[in-house]
Amino acid sequence: MKLVIFDTGPLVAWFCSRDGHHAWARRTFAQIPAGGLICEAVLAEVCHLVAKDGIAHGKVLEFVERGGLTPVFLGGELPAIRELLNRYADRPMDFADACVVRLAELYADSSVCTTDGDFRFFRKNGREPISLVAPFVS
C-alpha cells in the first residue's frame, strides 16, 4: 500500500465513536500500515476536535508516539503552503488542508486519507489529482 498522509477527519472519526465516519475509519485504519504521515496543523485540529467529544489530547499524542503516525514539520514549506492557500482562496481550503496537499506534493507516491470532499478538487503540483483513501472513493 502507498504511504498514507492523514487529514483531520478520519482521525477524529477514529477517536470519536459518535462521528458519522467512525465505522469507516475503524475499517480503514485496520488496513493501513502504521507510520502514516501527519503534519502539525492536522495534529492540532485533531486534538482540538476530539476534546469537544471528551477525549483527552494525550490520547491523540499517545497514538502518534506509539507509531501510529509519523509527524512531519512543514515550517520550511510556508511559501508553498501560502501559494496553495492563494490558489484555492475560492474553496474552503484551510491551513491544515494546504499542509496536507503540500505533503502529497513532497511525497509523490502517497495517498491522502480524508473525509473532506474538497480533496476531490484540490490538485498537487498544480494539476495532478491526489490519490485518496476516503469514504466517497470506491
Side-chain angles (χ1 to χ4, degrees):
M1 178 173 250
K2 292 180 178 185
L3 178 65
V4 177
I5 298 164
F6 284 87
D7 188 26
T8 305
L11 292 162
V12 171
W14 189 85
F15 280 102
C16 300
S17 60
R18 293 184 293 179
D19 188 284
H21 295 294
H22 179 72
W24 172 84
R26 294 296 251 191
R27 285 190 311 273
T28 301
F29 280 32
Q31 299 170 4
I32 296 173
L37 303 180
I38 185 170
C39 64
E40 290 173 318
V42 167
L43 185 57
E45 281 189 350
V46 173
C47 286
H48 174 74
L49 292 171
V50 301
K52 290 181 175 186
D53 210 38
I55 297 164
H57 299 126
K59 288 198 178 266
V60 177
L61 298 178
E62 183 179 333
F63 179 74
V64 172
E65 290 172 333
R66 289 184 182 220
L69 300 172
T70 302
V72 178
F73 176 68
L74 292 173
E77 299 297 323
L78 291 179
I81 293 166
R82 179 178 28 81
E83 190 174 309
L84 285 164
L85 288 168
N86 289 338
R87 182 182 319 142
Y88 291 103
D90 62 334
R91 284 254 175 222
M93 176 183 267
D94 63 19
F95 181 70
D97 294 339
C99 289
V100 169
V101 172
R102 183 63 184 145
L103 278 174
E105 291 175 340
L106 294 170
Y107 295 87
D109 192 30
S110 63
S111 294
V112 170
C113 185
T114 188
T115 57
D116 183 345
D118 287 321
F119 276 87
R120 291 176 290 193
F121 306 104
F122 298 153
R123 296 289 180 258
K124 62 182 183 178
N125 304 314
R127 305 191 106 164
E128 297 173 40
I130 298 169
S131 173
L132 300 175
V133 176
F136 48 82
V137 174
S138 51

